[in-house]
Amino acid sequence: MIEESKPKNMRKKLQAGELMNQVMSDYFHGLDEAATTGRQKVAWCTSVGPAEVLRSLGFAVHFPENHGALLGATRMATDLIPEANAIGYSPDICSYLTADIGAYLKGVTPLAKAYPGIKSVPKPDVLVYSTNQCRDVQDWFGWYSRELGVPSIGIKSPRNLNEVGDAPIEDVSRQIQALVPQLEAISGNRLDQDRLRETVALSKACTELWKQVLDTAKAIPAPLTFFDGTIHMGPAVVMRGTQAAVDYYKVLLAELQQNVRDGAGAVEGEKVRLYWDGMPVWGRLRQHSEHFLQLKTNVVASTYCSSWIFPAFDERDPFRSMAQAYLELFIVRSDEYKEQYMKRMIEEFRIDGIIYHDAKTCPNNSNSRYGLPKRLESATGVPSLVLSGDLNDLRCISDEQTKTNIEAFIEQIVEGK
Ligand code: SF4
Protein backbone atom coordinates (compact mmCIF):
# COMPACT_ATOMS: atom_id res chain seq x y z
CA MET A 1 0.00 0.00 0.00
CA ILE A 2 1.33 3.44 -0.95
CA GLU A 3 0.80 6.17 1.56
CA GLU A 4 -0.54 9.36 0.10
CA SER A 5 1.49 12.43 0.93
CA LYS A 6 0.89 16.09 0.29
CA PRO A 7 2.19 17.37 -3.06
CA LYS A 8 3.78 20.43 -1.43
CA ASN A 9 7.40 20.89 -2.56
CA MET A 10 7.50 17.40 -4.04
CA ARG A 11 7.49 18.29 -7.72
CA LYS A 12 10.92 19.22 -8.99
CA LYS A 13 10.58 22.53 -10.80
CA LEU A 14 12.53 22.80 -14.03
CA GLN A 15 14.60 25.98 -14.29
CA ALA A 16 14.29 25.93 -18.08
CA GLY A 17 10.61 26.74 -17.69
CA GLU A 18 11.30 30.47 -17.57
CA LEU A 19 13.28 30.37 -20.77
CA MET A 20 10.51 28.36 -22.41
CA ASN A 21 7.93 30.97 -21.41
CA GLN A 22 10.12 33.62 -23.06
CA VAL A 23 10.62 31.54 -26.21
CA MET A 24 6.87 30.92 -26.51
CA SER A 25 6.11 34.59 -25.84
CA ASP A 26 8.50 35.62 -28.64
CA TYR A 27 6.83 33.13 -30.97
CA PHE A 28 3.29 34.36 -30.29
CA HIS A 29 4.27 38.03 -30.44
CA GLY A 30 6.10 37.36 -33.71
CA LEU A 31 2.99 35.73 -35.15
CA ASP A 32 0.84 38.61 -34.00
CA GLU A 33 3.17 41.14 -35.53
CA ALA A 34 3.19 39.24 -38.83
CA ALA A 35 -0.60 39.29 -38.97
CA THR A 36 -1.22 42.83 -37.74
CA THR A 37 1.50 44.61 -39.75
CA GLY A 38 1.24 42.41 -42.85
CA ARG A 39 5.05 42.17 -42.89
CA GLN A 40 4.91 38.41 -43.19
CA LYS A 41 2.17 36.16 -44.59
CA VAL A 42 0.53 33.79 -42.12
CA ALA A 43 -0.15 30.10 -42.72
CA TRP A 44 -2.16 27.92 -40.40
CA CYS A 45 -0.86 24.37 -40.27
CA THR A 46 -2.05 21.15 -38.66
CA SER A 47 0.27 19.91 -35.92
CA VAL A 48 1.93 17.27 -38.08
CA GLY A 49 1.53 19.06 -41.40
CA PRO A 50 4.39 20.19 -43.68
CA ALA A 51 5.49 23.16 -41.54
CA GLU A 52 9.02 23.07 -43.01
CA VAL A 53 7.75 24.05 -46.47
CA LEU A 54 5.74 26.92 -45.00
CA ARG A 55 8.66 28.29 -43.00
CA SER A 56 10.99 28.01 -45.98
CA LEU A 57 8.55 30.11 -47.98
CA GLY A 58 8.68 32.83 -45.32
CA PHE A 59 5.28 32.23 -43.70
CA ALA A 60 4.73 32.82 -40.00
CA VAL A 61 3.09 29.55 -38.92
CA HIS A 62 0.16 29.21 -36.51
CA PHE A 63 -1.03 25.80 -35.24
CA PRO A 64 -4.75 25.78 -34.37
CA GLU A 65 -4.42 22.55 -32.38
CA ASN A 66 -2.00 24.37 -30.09
CA HIS A 67 -4.68 27.02 -29.66
CA GLY A 68 -7.19 24.25 -28.94
CA ALA A 69 -4.90 22.87 -26.23
CA LEU A 70 -4.54 26.36 -24.71
CA LEU A 71 -8.32 26.67 -24.62
CA GLY A 72 -8.41 23.34 -22.79
CA ALA A 73 -5.59 24.13 -20.36
CA THR A 74 -7.19 27.47 -19.43
CA ARG A 75 -10.53 25.66 -18.99
CA MET A 76 -12.22 27.98 -21.47
CA ALA A 77 -13.04 25.13 -23.86
CA THR A 78 -16.08 23.56 -22.18
CA ASP A 79 -18.09 26.81 -22.32
CA LEU A 80 -17.10 27.49 -25.93
CA ILE A 81 -17.86 24.08 -27.44
CA PRO A 82 -21.68 24.70 -27.46
CA GLU A 83 -21.10 27.73 -29.72
CA ALA A 84 -19.79 25.41 -32.42
CA ASN A 85 -22.50 22.85 -31.68
CA ALA A 86 -25.08 25.59 -32.31
CA ILE A 87 -23.83 26.04 -35.89
CA GLY A 88 -24.01 22.33 -36.60
CA TYR A 89 -20.75 20.80 -35.38
CA SER A 90 -21.52 17.75 -33.25
CA PRO A 91 -20.40 17.55 -29.60
CA ASP A 92 -18.96 14.14 -30.52
CA ILE A 93 -16.32 15.46 -32.94
CA CYS A 94 -12.88 16.83 -32.05
CA SER A 95 -13.18 19.17 -29.06
CA TYR A 96 -10.12 21.11 -30.25
CA LEU A 97 -12.13 21.93 -33.35
CA THR A 98 -15.35 22.83 -31.52
CA ALA A 99 -13.52 24.83 -28.81
CA ASP A 100 -11.44 26.72 -31.37
CA ILE A 101 -14.39 27.57 -33.64
CA GLY A 102 -16.43 28.45 -30.53
CA ALA A 103 -13.65 30.83 -29.42
CA TYR A 104 -13.64 32.48 -32.85
CA LEU A 105 -17.44 32.90 -32.76
CA LYS A 106 -17.25 34.46 -29.30
CA GLY A 107 -14.22 36.60 -30.21
CA VAL A 108 -12.05 35.28 -27.34
CA THR A 109 -8.60 33.72 -27.03
CA PRO A 110 -6.38 32.72 -24.10
CA LEU A 111 -3.49 34.37 -25.95
CA ALA A 112 -4.89 37.80 -25.00
CA LYS A 113 -4.45 37.10 -21.28
CA ALA A 114 -1.17 35.19 -21.53
CA TYR A 115 0.53 37.62 -23.93
CA PRO A 116 -0.50 41.24 -23.34
CA GLY A 117 -0.95 43.17 -26.55
CA ILE A 118 -2.31 40.21 -28.53
CA LYS A 119 -6.00 40.61 -29.29
CA SER A 120 -6.77 37.59 -31.45
CA VAL A 121 -5.25 34.59 -33.18
CA PRO A 122 -3.38 35.69 -36.33
CA LYS A 123 -5.57 35.97 -39.40
CA PRO A 124 -4.44 33.43 -41.99
CA ASP A 125 -3.51 33.92 -45.64
CA VAL A 126 -3.68 30.18 -46.24
CA LEU A 127 -4.71 27.04 -44.34
CA VAL A 128 -2.61 23.89 -44.84
CA TYR A 129 -3.65 20.51 -43.45
CA SER A 130 -2.61 16.89 -43.54
CA THR A 131 -5.14 14.17 -42.79
CA ASN A 132 -2.38 11.90 -41.45
CA GLN A 133 -3.86 12.33 -37.97
CA CYS A 134 -7.61 12.55 -38.68
CA ARG A 135 -10.26 13.96 -41.01
CA ASP A 136 -11.40 16.51 -38.45
CA VAL A 137 -8.56 18.88 -39.31
CA GLN A 138 -9.72 19.14 -42.92
CA ASP A 139 -13.28 19.97 -41.82
CA TRP A 140 -11.92 22.43 -39.25
CA PHE A 141 -9.88 24.32 -41.84
CA GLY A 142 -12.75 24.02 -44.31
CA TRP A 143 -14.95 26.02 -41.96
CA TYR A 144 -12.37 28.81 -41.64
CA SER A 145 -11.82 28.76 -45.37
CA ARG A 146 -15.51 29.53 -45.96
CA GLU A 147 -15.70 31.98 -43.07
CA LEU A 148 -12.56 33.98 -43.90
CA GLY A 149 -12.41 33.49 -47.65
CA VAL A 150 -8.88 32.02 -47.65
CA PRO A 151 -7.78 28.83 -49.44
CA SER A 152 -7.56 25.54 -47.55
CA ILE A 153 -5.16 23.12 -49.21
CA GLY A 154 -3.54 19.97 -48.02
CA ILE A 155 -2.46 16.38 -48.10
CA LYS A 156 -4.82 13.40 -48.09
CA SER A 157 -2.69 10.92 -46.24
CA PRO A 158 -2.80 7.15 -46.17
CA ARG A 159 -3.55 5.86 -42.67
CA ASN A 160 -3.46 2.66 -40.63
CA LEU A 161 -0.07 1.68 -42.06
CA ASN A 162 1.81 -1.36 -40.87
CA GLU A 163 4.94 -0.68 -42.90
CA VAL A 164 5.77 2.74 -44.31
CA GLY A 165 6.83 1.62 -47.76
CA ASP A 166 7.89 3.38 -50.92
CA ALA A 167 4.39 3.80 -52.38
CA PRO A 168 2.86 5.89 -49.56
CA ILE A 169 6.08 7.90 -49.20
CA GLU A 170 6.07 8.69 -52.91
CA ASP A 171 2.36 9.56 -52.80
CA VAL A 172 2.72 12.01 -49.89
CA SER A 173 5.99 13.45 -51.20
CA ARG A 174 4.26 14.30 -54.49
CA GLN A 175 1.30 15.80 -52.66
CA ILE A 176 3.60 18.06 -50.60
CA GLN A 177 5.41 19.18 -53.76
CA ALA A 178 2.10 19.85 -55.49
CA LEU A 179 1.25 22.45 -52.81
CA VAL A 180 4.33 24.51 -53.59
CA PRO A 181 3.14 26.57 -56.62
CA GLN A 182 0.01 27.78 -54.81
CA LEU A 183 1.99 28.53 -51.64
CA GLU A 184 4.58 30.42 -53.69
CA ALA A 185 1.83 32.52 -55.23
CA ILE A 186 0.31 33.34 -51.81
CA SER A 187 3.64 34.06 -50.11
CA GLY A 188 5.10 35.97 -53.04
CA ASN A 189 8.33 33.99 -52.59
CA ARG A 190 9.99 31.24 -54.60
CA LEU A 191 10.86 28.09 -52.67
CA ASP A 192 14.61 28.20 -52.13
CA GLN A 193 15.89 24.60 -51.98
CA ASP A 194 18.81 25.55 -49.73
CA ARG A 195 16.47 27.23 -47.27
CA LEU A 196 14.22 24.15 -47.30
CA ARG A 197 17.23 21.93 -46.55
CA GLU A 198 18.25 24.21 -43.68
CA THR A 199 14.73 24.17 -42.26
CA VAL A 200 14.48 20.37 -42.46
CA ALA A 201 17.92 20.14 -40.79
CA LEU A 202 16.68 22.38 -37.96
CA SER A 203 13.54 20.25 -37.58
CA LYS A 204 15.76 17.18 -37.39
CA ALA A 205 17.99 18.77 -34.76
CA CYS A 206 14.90 19.78 -32.75
CA THR A 207 13.41 16.31 -32.96
CA GLU A 208 16.66 14.63 -31.91
CA LEU A 209 17.00 16.89 -28.89
CA TRP A 210 13.35 16.37 -27.95
CA LYS A 211 13.89 12.60 -28.08
CA GLN A 212 16.90 12.93 -25.79
CA VAL A 213 14.82 15.08 -23.43
CA LEU A 214 12.11 12.41 -23.22
CA ASP A 215 14.70 9.63 -22.94
CA THR A 216 16.10 11.13 -19.75
CA ALA A 217 12.96 9.70 -18.10
CA LYS A 218 14.42 6.21 -18.61
CA ALA A 219 16.49 6.96 -15.53
CA ILE A 220 15.26 5.81 -12.12
CA PRO A 221 14.10 8.12 -10.63
CA ALA A 222 12.96 9.94 -13.78
CA PRO A 223 13.75 13.67 -13.89
CA LEU A 224 10.67 14.41 -16.00
CA THR A 225 6.94 13.63 -15.89
CA PHE A 226 4.40 13.34 -18.70
CA PHE A 227 2.85 16.53 -17.33
CA ASP A 228 6.15 18.43 -17.70
CA GLY A 229 6.41 16.97 -21.19
CA THR A 230 3.03 18.29 -22.29
CA ILE A 231 4.19 21.82 -21.41
CA HIS A 232 7.81 21.64 -22.56
CA MET A 233 6.85 20.13 -25.91
CA GLY A 234 5.49 23.56 -26.94
CA PRO A 235 8.55 24.65 -28.95
CA ALA A 236 8.80 21.24 -30.67
CA VAL A 237 5.16 21.58 -31.77
CA VAL A 238 5.00 25.20 -32.91
CA MET A 239 8.65 26.06 -33.65
CA ARG A 240 10.21 23.02 -35.27
CA GLY A 241 12.37 24.19 -38.16
CA THR A 242 13.71 27.16 -36.17
CA GLN A 243 17.00 27.77 -34.37
CA ALA A 244 15.12 29.03 -31.29
CA ALA A 245 13.57 25.60 -30.69
CA VAL A 246 16.96 23.88 -31.05
CA ASP A 247 18.59 26.32 -28.64
CA TYR A 248 15.83 25.84 -26.09
CA TYR A 249 16.08 22.05 -26.04
CA LYS A 250 19.85 22.19 -25.53
CA VAL A 251 19.22 24.11 -22.31
CA LEU A 252 16.40 21.85 -21.13
CA LEU A 253 18.39 18.70 -21.94
CA ALA A 254 21.45 19.91 -20.03
CA GLU A 255 19.31 20.55 -16.94
CA LEU A 256 17.63 17.15 -17.11
CA GLN A 257 20.94 15.33 -17.62
CA GLN A 258 22.32 17.12 -14.58
CA ASN A 259 19.26 16.04 -12.59
CA VAL A 260 19.85 12.44 -13.65
CA ARG A 261 23.48 12.68 -12.51
CA ASP A 262 22.28 14.13 -9.20
CA GLY A 263 19.64 11.42 -8.80
CA ALA A 264 17.02 14.18 -8.58
CA GLY A 265 13.69 12.67 -9.62
CA ALA A 266 10.69 14.74 -10.67
CA VAL A 267 8.53 12.79 -8.22
CA GLU A 268 9.98 12.51 -4.75
CA GLY A 269 10.14 8.89 -3.64
CA GLU A 270 9.15 7.54 -7.10
CA LYS A 271 7.72 4.07 -6.58
CA VAL A 272 5.57 3.37 -9.62
CA ARG A 273 6.29 4.18 -13.27
CA LEU A 274 3.40 4.51 -15.72
CA TYR A 275 2.91 4.96 -19.46
CA TRP A 276 0.12 7.29 -20.67
CA ASP A 277 -1.51 6.49 -23.99
CA GLY A 278 -3.79 9.00 -25.69
CA MET A 279 -4.41 12.69 -25.26
CA PRO A 280 -3.81 14.59 -22.03
CA VAL A 281 -6.86 16.01 -20.25
CA TRP A 282 -5.79 19.62 -20.71
CA GLY A 283 -8.16 21.10 -18.15
CA ARG A 284 -7.00 18.63 -15.49
CA LEU A 285 -3.23 18.63 -15.99
CA ARG A 286 -2.52 20.07 -12.57
CA GLN A 287 -4.98 17.84 -10.72
CA HIS A 288 -3.70 14.70 -12.43
CA SER A 289 -0.09 15.67 -11.89
CA GLU A 290 -0.67 16.33 -8.17
CA HIS A 291 -2.66 13.17 -7.72
CA PHE A 292 0.15 11.04 -9.14
CA LEU A 293 2.65 12.91 -6.95
CA GLN A 294 0.63 12.00 -3.88
CA LEU A 295 0.71 8.38 -4.97
CA LYS A 296 4.52 8.54 -5.53
CA THR A 297 3.83 7.60 -9.10
CA ASN A 298 5.51 9.07 -12.14
CA VAL A 299 4.00 8.91 -15.60
CA VAL A 300 7.40 8.61 -17.28
CA ALA A 301 6.49 8.08 -20.94
CA SER A 302 3.63 8.67 -23.31
CA THR A 303 2.52 8.23 -26.87
CA TYR A 304 1.50 11.87 -27.02
CA CYS A 305 4.81 13.54 -26.14
CA SER A 306 6.71 11.06 -28.31
CA SER A 307 4.60 12.01 -31.33
CA TRP A 308 6.90 14.94 -32.03
CA ILE A 309 9.88 12.68 -32.66
CA PHE A 310 10.47 12.41 -36.42
CA PRO A 311 13.60 10.32 -37.00
CA ALA A 312 13.20 10.31 -40.80
CA PHE A 313 13.95 14.00 -41.47
CA ASP A 314 16.90 14.23 -43.85
CA GLU A 315 17.95 17.53 -45.40
CA ARG A 316 19.57 15.67 -48.33
CA ASP A 317 16.12 14.56 -49.50
CA PRO A 318 13.71 17.07 -47.96
CA PHE A 319 10.40 16.17 -49.64
CA ARG A 320 10.67 12.40 -49.35
CA SER A 321 12.02 12.58 -45.82
CA MET A 322 9.20 14.91 -44.74
CA ALA A 323 6.70 12.49 -46.29
CA GLN A 324 8.30 9.57 -44.45
CA ALA A 325 8.49 11.48 -41.15
CA TYR A 326 4.82 12.44 -41.29
CA LEU A 327 3.77 8.88 -42.21
CA GLU A 328 5.82 7.08 -39.57
CA LEU A 329 3.91 8.71 -36.74
CA PHE A 330 2.19 6.47 -34.20
CA ILE A 331 -1.27 7.88 -35.03
CA VAL A 332 -0.88 6.95 -38.71
CA ARG A 333 0.01 3.32 -37.95
CA SER A 334 -1.78 -0.02 -37.63
CA ASP A 335 -2.61 -1.63 -34.29
CA GLU A 336 0.05 -4.29 -34.97
CA TYR A 337 2.68 -1.57 -35.19
CA LYS A 338 1.29 0.24 -32.14
CA GLU A 339 1.45 -2.95 -30.08
CA GLN A 340 5.12 -3.52 -30.96
CA TYR A 341 5.96 0.14 -30.34
CA MET A 342 4.37 0.11 -26.89
CA LYS A 343 6.15 -3.15 -26.00
CA ARG A 344 9.44 -1.40 -26.71
CA MET A 345 8.42 1.60 -24.61
CA ILE A 346 7.42 -0.66 -21.70
CA GLU A 347 10.86 -2.25 -21.71
CA GLU A 348 12.92 0.87 -22.30
CA PHE A 349 11.17 2.98 -19.65
CA ARG A 350 10.65 0.07 -17.21
CA ILE A 351 6.90 0.62 -17.07
CA ASP A 352 4.79 -0.89 -14.27
CA GLY A 353 1.39 -0.06 -15.77
CA ILE A 354 -0.36 1.64 -18.68
CA ILE A 355 -3.14 4.19 -18.59
CA TYR A 356 -5.21 4.52 -21.75
CA HIS A 357 -7.13 7.75 -22.01
CA ASP A 358 -10.23 6.99 -24.06
CA ALA A 359 -11.03 10.52 -25.22
CA LYS A 360 -14.69 10.85 -26.17
CA THR A 361 -14.09 13.28 -29.03
CA CYS A 362 -10.83 11.88 -30.38
CA PRO A 363 -11.13 8.24 -31.44
CA ASN A 364 -7.99 8.82 -33.54
CA ASN A 365 -5.83 9.18 -30.45
CA SER A 366 -7.68 6.61 -28.32
CA ASN A 367 -6.20 3.14 -28.60
CA SER A 368 -8.30 1.18 -26.14
CA ARG A 369 -11.29 0.43 -28.35
CA TYR A 370 -10.14 -2.54 -30.42
CA GLY A 371 -8.60 -4.90 -27.86
CA LEU A 372 -5.08 -3.44 -27.74
CA PRO A 373 -4.88 -3.16 -23.92
CA LYS A 374 -5.82 -6.83 -23.40
CA ARG A 375 -3.46 -8.04 -26.12
CA LEU A 376 -0.59 -6.02 -24.73
CA GLU A 377 -1.35 -7.08 -21.18
CA SER A 378 -1.29 -10.77 -22.04
CA ALA A 379 1.92 -10.34 -24.04
CA THR A 380 3.80 -8.37 -21.38
CA GLY A 381 2.04 -8.98 -18.06
CA VAL A 382 1.92 -5.20 -17.56
CA PRO A 383 -1.53 -4.19 -16.25
CA SER A 384 -3.59 -1.41 -17.74
CA LEU A 385 -6.41 0.96 -16.89
CA VAL A 386 -8.78 2.67 -19.32
CA LEU A 387 -9.92 6.15 -18.26
CA SER A 388 -12.96 7.61 -19.99
CA GLY A 389 -12.61 11.32 -20.52
CA ASP A 390 -11.78 13.93 -23.08
CA LEU A 391 -8.98 16.24 -24.09
CA ASN A 392 -11.03 19.44 -23.81
CA ASP A 393 -14.68 18.78 -22.98
CA LEU A 394 -14.78 18.52 -19.20
CA ARG A 395 -18.43 17.42 -19.32
CA CYS A 396 -17.12 14.02 -20.45
CA ILE A 397 -15.09 13.55 -17.28
CA SER A 398 -16.01 12.24 -13.86
CA ASP A 399 -13.24 13.49 -11.58
CA GLU A 400 -14.23 11.29 -8.66
CA GLN A 401 -14.36 8.16 -10.75
CA THR A 402 -11.01 8.97 -12.35
CA LYS A 403 -9.42 9.47 -8.94
CA THR A 404 -10.84 6.24 -7.52
CA ASN A 405 -9.86 4.22 -10.59
CA ILE A 406 -6.29 5.55 -10.54
CA GLU A 407 -5.90 4.83 -6.83
CA ALA A 408 -7.19 1.27 -7.20
CA PHE A 409 -4.90 0.73 -10.20
CA ILE A 410 -1.78 1.95 -8.38
CA GLU A 411 -2.65 -0.18 -5.39
CA GLN A 412 -2.97 -3.22 -7.65
CA ILE A 413 0.46 -2.49 -9.16
CA VAL A 414 2.10 -2.04 -5.77
CA GLU A 415 0.60 -5.25 -4.43
CA GLY A 416 1.83 -7.12 -7.50
CA LYS A 417 5.42 -5.86 -7.15
S1 SF4 B 1 -6.18 13.89 -33.75
FE1 SF4 B 1 -7.91 14.11 -32.33
S2 SF4 B 1 -7.48 15.91 -31.12
FE2 SF4 B 1 -6.13 15.98 -32.91
S3 SF4 B 1 -7.26 17.22 -34.37
FE3 SF4 B 1 -7.76 15.09 -34.80
S4 SF4 B 1 -9.64 14.63 -33.64
FE4 SF4 B 1 -8.73 16.55 -32.85
Side-chain angles (χ1 to χ4, degrees), residues 270-311:
E270 174 192 297
K271 289 211 163 48
V272 175
R273 295 164 65 86
L274 298 183
Y275 182 91
W276 183 285
D277 179 75
M279 302 292 289
V281 183
W282 289 108
R284 292 287 183 265
L285 280 187
R286 176 182 294 188
Q287 286 93 324
H288 288 176
S289 166
E290 289 181 353
H291 191 209
F292 285 116
L293 277 170
Q294 288 168 29
L295 296 164
K296 298 191 179 218
T297 294
N298 192 350
V299 183
V300 296
S302 68
T303 309
Y304 186 70
C305 291
S306 301
S307 291
W308 275 265
I309 296 171
F310 307 101

Side-chain angles (χ1 to χ4, degrees), residues 182-370:
Q182 199 173 352
L183 292 170
E184 285 182 331
I186 296 166
S187 69
N189 297 321
R190 297 278 298 169
L191 182 65
D192 178 334
Q193 292 297 327
D194 287 337
R195 192 161 175 203
L196 181 61
R197 285 181 213 285
E198 273 166 36
T199 310
V200 170
L202 285 168
S203 275
K204 185 171 180 64
C206 175
T207 210
E208 283 173 350
L209 284 160
W210 178 238
K211 179 174 184 339
Q212 289 180 63
V213 162
L214 294 179
D215 280 352
T216 60
K218 288 178 183 171
I220 297 179
L224 187 74
T225 74
F226 165 60
F227 305 99
D228 297 316
T230 59
I231 306 301
H232 286 271
M233 69 195 282
V237 176
V238 299
M239 297 171 72
R240 64 178 186 273
T242 71
Q243 188 63 47
V246 173
D247 293 344
Y248 173 65
Y249 286 117
K250 285 182 184 164
V251 174
L252 177 62
L253 180 61
E255 181 181 350
L256 290 167
Q257 287 173 333
Q258 186 59 48
N259 287 350
V260 171
R261 283 193 290 274
D262 295 345
V267 170
E268 199 180 298
E270 174 192 297
K271 289 211 163 48
V272 175
R273 295 164 65 86
L274 298 183
Y275 182 91
W276 183 285
D277 179 75
M279 302 292 289
V281 183
W282 289 108
R284 292 287 183 265
L285 280 187
R286 176 182 294 188
Q287 286 93 324
H288 288 176
S289 166
E290 289 181 353
H291 191 209
F292 285 116
L293 277 170
Q294 288 168 29
L295 296 164
K296 298 191 179 218
T297 294
N298 192 350
V299 183
V300 296
S302 68
T303 309
Y304 186 70
C305 291
S306 301
S307 291
W308 275 265
I309 296 171
F310 307 101
F313 282 138
D314 183 349
E315 65 274 20
R316 291 167 303 180
D317 195 355
F319 283 108
R320 271 185 70 87
S321 76
M322 273 187 282
Q324 187 175 343
Y326 292 129
L327 282 167
E328 281 180 350
L329 286 173
F330 186 90
I331 197 168
V332 189
R333 310 302 289 276
S334 66
D335 267 23
E336 290 92 322
Y337 171 87
K338 289 176 179 174
E339 205 175 311
Q340 294 310 318
Y341 173 89
M342 287 173 73
K343 265 189 201 159
R344 280 202 306 278
M345 294 296 270
I346 289 170
E347 281 168 25
E348 289 177 14
F349 286 83
R350 290 177 273 182
I351 298 295
D352 299 313
I354 304 176
I355 290 187
Y356 293 86
H357 175 204
D358 185 2
K360 166 89 172 147
T361 72
C362 180
N364 312 286
N365 249 328
S366 299
N367 295 300
S368 54
R369 299 182 185 186
Y370 297 92

